[in-house]
Amino acid sequence: MSAFIKSIYRYPVKGLSAEKLDQVSVEKDAIFPYDRRFAIAHGSTEFPNGPTWLTKKHFVMLAKNPKLAQLTSEFDEDTETLTLLRNDKRVSRGKLTDLTGRMLLEQFLASFLEADVRGAPKIVENNATAFTDIPDLQISLINTESVKDLERVVRNPVDPMRFRGNLYLEGLKAWEENNWIGKEIKVGDITLEIKSPIGRCSATNVNLDTADVDLNIPKSLQSGFGHRNMGVYASVITDGLIQKNAPVTID
């Protein structure tokens, strides 16, 4: 079976739920538009020269704030408006690029997160790069067969969305992506260079349906495979459109 893009996701606000896409335009040395463009910073986090990339400890995130998984977020790109839902009911809404809109969302998050956040939470925007886990402008690829092989070790279902990838690939052998480091692949007409494996942290332990910490994914990866990696990072070499079901080949 030939490899292809099963699904495409981006995460407009770091730590909140994914937005599923049918296609996305990418540019050389850039990431998906709006992917991790916004983040919820702790009140104690300082940006002397304006919001920029910082390590994830400065932000609200699933690894330390699993309660975030109780929320579903909906992002409207045209209006740059974020809607937060809990149990399918709207609990807050605001324009992320507007001071008043952010204030409405921040007030809800302060009440919702309570002691889980250091100081009053503040929504910040990074126009230059993104609030990803690494400072490099890269996107993440997840091989769904590798996730299935992890299930064999865990002896439980593992939702691939725990790994918060951008591109989910099907039609590969388990762990085949680990042999791509330093190589180029074609996704439709787009060329990506595979840069490095993605080491996993405790954020993957959170059940995205229940917000419970119900697995130890890093430990299971280490004991079962001798590493804590799931997925690979890639940089964009050529501009263009990535579409769902696009073929994936080694260049």
Side-chain angles (χ1 to χ4, degrees), residues 54-74:
L54 290 174
T55 57
K56 57 188 177 182
K57 70 179 182 180
H58 295 281
F59 305 98
V60 177
M61 56 177 176
L62 282 171
K64 298 293 185 181
N65 314 98
K67 192 176 181 181
L68 285 174
Q70 294 179 16
L71 301 176
T72 301
S73 58
E74 296 177 350

Side-chain angles (χ1 to χ4, degrees), residues 55-117:
T55 57
K56 57 188 177 182
K57 70 179 182 180
H58 295 281
F59 305 98
V60 177
M61 56 177 176
L62 282 171
K64 298 293 185 181
N65 314 98
K67 192 176 181 181
L68 285 174
Q70 294 179 16
L71 301 176
T72 301
S73 58
E74 296 177 350
F75 178 69
D76 186 321
E77 182 176 334
D78 292 334
T79 63
E80 297 183 324
T81 296
L82 180 74
T83 301
L84 296 177
L85 301 98
R86 189 179 186 188
N87 298 323
D88 296 324
K89 295 182 179 180
R90 192 174 86 181
V91 291
S92 187
R93 187 169 186 258
K95 185 174 181 178
L96 289 169
T97 52
D98 175 76
L99 181 61
T100 301
R102 290 196 302 272
M103 188 180 301
L104 291 171
L105 292 162
E106 289 165 350
Q107 288 174 347
F108 166 76
L109 289 167
S111 174
F112 175 72
L113 292 168
E114 300 179 316
D116 284 350
V117 63

Side-chain angles (χ1 to χ4, degrees), residues 4 6 11 15-16 42 61 77 113 115 130 159 181 185:
F4 65 97
K6 174 65 174 179
Y11 307 80
L16 295 182
H42 291 284
M61 56 177 176
E77 182 176 334
L113 292 168
D159 183 358
I181 309 302
I185 67 169

Side-chain angles (χ1 to χ4, degrees), residues 163-232:
F163 302 102
R164 300 178 68 79
N166 296 126
L167 304 178
Y168 284 81
L169 284 58
E170 286 203 358
L172 298 169
K173 295 179 181 178
W175 310 109
E176 182 178 342
E177 69 278 15
N178 290 339
N179 298 324
W180 294 353
I181 309 302
K183 299 179 180 179
E184 293 185 354
I185 67 169
K186 284 280 191 182
V187 179
D189 296 326
I190 303 301
T191 301
L192 303 178
E193 181 182 355
I194 307 302
K195 307 295 286 189
S196 64
I198 304 175
R200 292 301 172 176
C201 69
S202 58
T204 54
N205 297 339
V206 180
N207 186 312
L208 299 178
D209 292 325
T210 66
D212 294 329
V213 176
D214 60 357
L215 295 175
N216 191 330
I217 295 295
K219 182 178 179 180
S220 296
L221 285 166
Q222 187 66 49
S223 63
F225 307 101
H227 59 73
R228 297 193 173 197
N229 304 326
M230 179 61 76
V232 291

Side-chain angles (χ1 to χ4, degrees), residues 14-38:
K14 182 181 181 70
L16 295 182
S17 61
E19 178 185 14
K20 194 171 187 177
L21 305 172
D22 289 326
Q23 60 184 32
V24 62
S25 294
V26 296
E27 297 180 0
K28 179 177 172 59
D29 299 325
I31 58 174
F32 289 4
Y34 287 100
D35 188 45
R36 277 93 167 184
R37 175 171 166 179
F38 304 93

